Amino acid sequence: MSDCPLPHDADVVTLAHGAGGRTMARWLAERLAPRLGSDALRHDAAVLPGRIAVTTDASVVSPLFFPGGDIGRLAVIGAVNDLAVTGAVPEALTLALVLEEGLSLATLDRVLDSIADEARACGVRVVSGDTKVVERGHGDGVYAVTTGIGRVPEGVEVGPWRVAPGDVVLVSGDVGRHGLAVLAARGGLGFLDPLPSDLAPLHGTTAALREAGVDAHCLRDCTRGGLSAVLAEIAAAGGHDLVVEEGAVPVAGPVRAACEVLGLDPWQLACEGRLAAFVAADQADLALAVLRERRPEAARIGVVADGRGRVWLRDAFGGERELDRPAGAALPRIC
Ligand code: MG
């Protein structure tokens, strides 16, 4: 037997530490927040004095190109969406690229063109950046890190701390597409037809809600860990229970079919262009109408109730069970 013990699973970083499940949530709360401060975990973007919103996002998706998108668009949209769900209007980005020696310049051009096109479409400027190159075999072609900067309009405050019992929970479109699109690009869907990723900026949606007069209490883009992670995080952050109607969550037919074959839960698969909205009951119809103008399948999926920060799923017969939140994720490196 070796004198030098192998590290125990609990003592090293695992893929689960980046997967958006229970392992990551526990690590952030128990080891990161005590060192860096819990402000870093408060919401998707921080709001600084002067109503300046700041967020940062690392994209490590594999492969770099997938049905409906690529790492360049993902890097821009990831930051734009984290600003949008804080109520901010995105204005600028910084961009850091970590490139692997041997990456073809043509591939890099494709990624850069994608970044430029998406930034233009979102109305944000790339104002600063950095590039580093690591030796062949370190890194995986391209890692992209974006920092998003925006401004929160006067009178707007969006965050988990505003969620209150009686609020209604809405989802802006069908869930689970992005995770499956990346799996398809890895050849993991076999004969099943992939839908393209739902990758899309959400700042137009959040602006439409605001302009319609919706005072959203909380917005959260459903990324890693999918809708399940969003529900669990918002419930835990606010300390209220959520009661979600299982049948009300929209899932596209091909996504549901693929998930059944592969044993995946579409609620746990990442989206990159969907958000959950928590609004006062008397604003739910208005908010849903705004969401449905963009995605007709947007739906009212549940309510916030008194409780202790747990999520309950109610089936068609009125039975309730607690939401199962996995420790890690079935699919690593999807964003
Ligand atoms: Mg987010």
Side-chain angles (χ1 to χ4, degrees), residues 37-315:
S38 54
D39 275 2
L41 307 179
R42 204 161 172 248
H43 198 14
D44 289 36
V47 181
L48 305 179
R51 309 192 67 79
I52 303 292
V54 182
T55 186
T56 196
D57 202 27
S59 297
V60 298
V61 66
S62 172
L64 301 176
F65 302 89
F66 50 82
D70 58 65
I71 192 169
R73 290 189 59 216
L74 193 60
V76 173
I77 288 173
V80 163
N81 287 354
D82 280 345
L83 291 170
V85 296
T86 314
V89 178
E91 293 185 358
L93 292 179
T94 72
L95 170 70
L97 295 171
V98 180
L99 308 172
E100 182 186 355
E101 178 189 22
L103 176 73
S104 97
L105 287 173
T107 301
L108 182 53
D109 285 346
R110 271 181 78 188
V111 172
L112 291 171
D113 287 342
S114 227
I115 290 170
D117 289 347
E118 192 60 47
R120 207 174 299 119
C122 291
V124 296
R125 291 177 307 133
V126 180
V127 293
S128 181
D130 185 31
T131 56
K132 295 277 162 54
V133 179
V134 295
E135 301 92 328
R136 201 181 296 268
H138 297 256
D140 194 3
V142 181
Y143 298 146
V145 180
T146 44
T147 293
I149 302 153
R151 205 176 295 269
V152 181
E154 205 64 47
V156 172
E157 183 189 348
V158 184
W161 54 89
R162 289 195 63 209
V163 172
D167 281 1
V168 169
V169 189
L170 308 170
V171 65
S172 70
D174 64 309
V175 302
R177 285 194 195 202
H178 178 71
L180 274 191
V182 175
L183 186 59
R186 293 176 190 163
L189 284 195
F191 60 91
L192 297 166
D193 270 342
L195 284 176
S197 167
D198 59 297
L199 179 64
L202 290 167
H203 62 303
T205 304
T206 57
L209 287 168
R210 185 171 62 242
E211 283 156 16
V214 174
D215 172 27
H217 290 170
C218 185
L219 302 166
R220 177 63 59 93
D221 53 337
C222 308
T223 55
R224 263 180 307 181
L227 177 66
S228 287
V230 167
L231 297 173
E233 282 168 18
I234 301 295
H240 307 297
D241 280 6
L242 306 182
V243 181
V244 178
E245 305 292 337
E246 270 196 291
V249 174
V251 180
V255 170
R256 192 179 295 283
C259 283
E260 274 168 19
V261 171
L262 299 166
L264 297 170
D265 178 349
W267 292 31
Q268 294 175 6
L269 292 177
C271 313
E272 289 292 344
R274 304 287 185 259
L275 58 77
F278 298 74
V279 300
D282 62 2
Q283 291 213 301
D285 288 343
L286 173 61
L288 185 57
V290 172
L291 296 179
R292 283 190 169 158
E293 276 173 24
R294 287 163 181 269
R295 303 284 321 171
E297 77 278 14
R300 172 185 181 127
I301 62 167
V303 293
V304 181
D306 287 319
R308 295 192 290 123
R310 296 191 291 185
V311 182
W312 301 95
L313 306 184
R314 186 181 287 159
D315 64 27

